[in-house]
Amino acid sequence: MNTDITRYGTGPRMSEAVAYNGILWVAGQLGEPRGSVADQTAQALAEVDRILAEAGTDKTRILSVQIWLADMATFAEMNSVWDKWVPQGHTPARATGEAKLATPDYKVEIIVTAALK
């Protein structure tokens, strides 16, 4: 059992991800503000891919995902991007909800927990 804590993209307020005991917690990822929900979803998922790769894992190892939408009316638009990105046969447990995000320009935020390799 590895009891070391590894932090990725550490800043003064938060880290992009934290690994401990074979699990990686990825902070909420956003796309560029003011883009469409589809654009922001694609950008956030690209950031998830980047962080997973930096930690030495990939999206087939994702355990769970929380997706926050500023407006649940955009659920289908977000899913149109998600469904192309998520690896079939490796779909994680997932919850999607509506929340007021950091600014009105953000439409989607994605939080991931993954197993390390």
Side-chain angles (χ1 to χ4, degrees):
M1 178 167 82
N2 181 359
T3 58
D4 292 335
I5 297 173
T6 304
R7 299 176 196 284
Y8 299 89
T10 301
R13 178 169 289 151
M14 59 180 274
S15 294
E16 285 185 323
V18 175
Y20 176 74
N21 201 24
I23 304 292
L24 181 72
W25 290 269
V26 179
Q29 298 301 303
L30 303 160
E32 290 295 318
R34 296 189 260 320
S36 70
V37 169
D39 289 343
Q40 288 190 25
T41 300
Q43 293 163 358
L45 292 172
E47 285 299 299
V48 168
D49 281 332
R50 179 188 63 76
I51 294 165
L52 292 174
E54 184 179 345
T57 194
D58 63 60
K59 63 187 170 186
T60 66
R61 312 261 312 154
I62 294 175
L63 303 171
S64 67
V65 175
Q66 294 177 38
I67 300 174
W68 294 107
L69 295 169
D71 184 349
M72 283 302 288
T74 63
F75 184 71
E77 183 180 354
M78 177 276 299
N79 273 330
S80 71
V81 176
W82 170 267
D83 291 344
K84 293 174 189 163
W85 178 83
V86 71
Q88 292 306 301
H90 299 279
T91 52
R94 190 185 102 172
T96 305
E98 184 177 282
K100 191 174 193 177
L101 300 179
T103 75
D105 295 328
Y106 290 114
K107 297 178 172 80
V108 61
E109 184 169 359
I110 300 174
I111 305 163
V112 170
T113 302
L116 296 170
K117 289 186 178 179

